[in-house]
Amino acid sequence: MNRRNFLFKSAYLAAGSLLGMNSFSKAFAFDGHRGSSFFQPRIALIIDDIGYSFARTRRFLELDIPITFSILPRVTHSQALAVEIHSYGHEVMLHQPMQPYNSHLDPGPGALYEGYDPWKISSIIEENISDVPLAIGVNNHMGSRFTECQKEINETLKVIKNNDLFFIDSLTSHDSKAYKTARRLHITAGRRNVFLDNSRNELAILFQLHLLKKYALKYGHAIGIGHPFPETARAIGYFLRSLKDSDISFVHISEILYT
């Protein structure tokens, strides 16, 4: 454990005590839902855009399955939600804002843009990492333009590597260079298979979840990315009931990346 992670974990334990969280009992209770054989098809769900709402985040905590939450930096509840999510035994990632092609879309505070110098990229990411305590990985928020910029994405991934974090390419562009660059730099990395909720319709989201299931059955694992919409939480709940007698297991993203 590096010094940064040690300090974050210490801060988390202190915050848990102050908030009256029995973090250890929650973490061990959650372990009962994690067991899976290496040969079982596995699904990792990442919920992006966390940081604005406790209520919307808690809908996903109540699903009682392993979920990885990707938290936007420098927004209202980034730090508090990182601590609460981790106290429930879930994994936390930094949802790093990056430049999209659509200039009318604002990726939010702490964003990276084409043309930034290496020192500026490093400074922004370091500040964002410090704003999302307990993060063990990074994925891109937006970034259809930025992830196509070889020089800038290379510098970004070097900073991520230096912080001992893994990287998930959200694949907001089919021409993204992020995943291949991460592998070339020997960074533990993965890439999204299915976006769950481009359409905020429960039936459409269920269709995407079944598509994710097909990926998992074919390749042994699959990564799905969704957002903290009530429709997404309800659809996942319906999907879980349909898997009652299935061999498919839900895991945190690290279990796919490191096994």
Side-chain angles (χ1 to χ4, degrees):
M1 184 186 303
N2 61 30
R3 183 173 181 274
R4 181 179 61 82
N5 285 337
F6 173 78
L7 291 173
F8 283 157
K9 290 181 186 297
S10 299
Y12 149 67
L13 291 171
S17 299
L18 289 171
L19 294 170
M21 296 177 183
N22 188 348
S23 56
F24 286 111
S25 65
K26 287 180 180 178
F28 281 113
F30 193 74
D31 277 343
H33 298 275
R34 289 180 180 173
S36 66
S37 164
F38 177 80
F39 299 102
Q40 281 182 293
R42 295 170 294 166
I43 289 176
L45 295 179
I46 298 172
I47 301 301
D48 281 350
D49 294 0
I50 299 296
Y52 290 105
S53 170
F54 280 93
R56 289 196 171 200
T57 301
R58 287 168 180 162
R59 287 177 179 265
F60 292 87
L61 295 174
E62 291 166 0
L63 291 170
D64 198 30
I65 58 169
I67 293 177
T68 302
F69 293 82
S70 197
I71 301 178
L72 290 164
R74 314 188 201 189
V75 299
T76 313
H77 303 300
S78 299
Q79 296 184 4
L81 276 168
V83 171
E84 178 167 335
I85 288 164
H86 190 271
S87 78
Y88 279 84
H90 293 288
E91 292 182 345
V92 171
M93 296 172 57
L94 165 65
H95 197 30
Q96 173 59 52
M98 298 180 184
Q99 180 184 0
Y101 263 111
N102 187 342
S103 60
H104 297 293
L105 292 176
D106 180 7
L112 300 174
Y113 288 87
E114 180 183 12
Y116 277 5
D117 292 330
W119 67 267
K120 188 167 187 177
I121 289 173
S122 178
S123 175
I124 288 171
I125 297 175
E126 292 288 355
E127 184 173 345
N128 290 348
I129 289 171
S130 69
D131 198 55
V132 182
L134 301 159
I136 61 172
V138 178
N139 74 328
N140 54 293
H141 171 60
M142 300 189 185
S144 53
R145 177 69 190 117
F146 191 85
T147 57
E148 293 182 7
C149 300
Q150 183 63 69
K151 179 182 175 183
E152 287 85 344
I153 201 66
N154 191 71
E155 294 299 329
T156 298
L157 289 165
K158 284 181 181 178
V159 181
I160 290 170
K161 180 179 181 178
N162 289 340
N163 280 275
D164 300 318
L165 304 175
F166 62 74
F167 179 75
I168 302 295
D169 190 347
S170 300
L171 278 180
T172 54
S173 166
H174 292 298
D175 294 321
S176 170
K177 296 175 172 59
Y179 175 73
K180 288 183 178 179
T181 303
R183 295 299 300 269
R184 180 173 54 79
L185 293 172
H186 305 291
I187 297 170
T188 300
R191 50 189 168 186
R192 181 268 310 166
N193 296 114
V194 176
F195 274 128
L196 302 181
D197 47 19
N198 284 338
S199 171
R200 286 183 60 177
N201 173 282
E202 288 176 33
L203 287 176
I205 297 168
L206 273 171
F207 178 87
Q208 294 298 94
L209 285 162
H210 282 285
L211 179 60
L212 192 65
K213 174 183 173 182
K214 288 182 179 179
Y215 271 97
L217 290 171
K218 184 173 182 180
Y219 298 106
H221 64 263
I223 299 171
I225 292 181
H227 300 84
F229 304 140
E231 297 88 348
T232 304
R234 287 195 295 268
I236 293 172
Y238 300 143
F239 183 64
L240 290 174
R241 289 193 282 275
S242 76
L243 294 178
K244 188 175 181 181
D245 298 318
S246 170
D247 288 334
I248 290 179
S249 62
F250 286 83
V251 297
H252 287 125
I253 189 65
S254 66
E255 188 168 331
I256 287 178
L257 294 179
Y258 294 109
T259 59

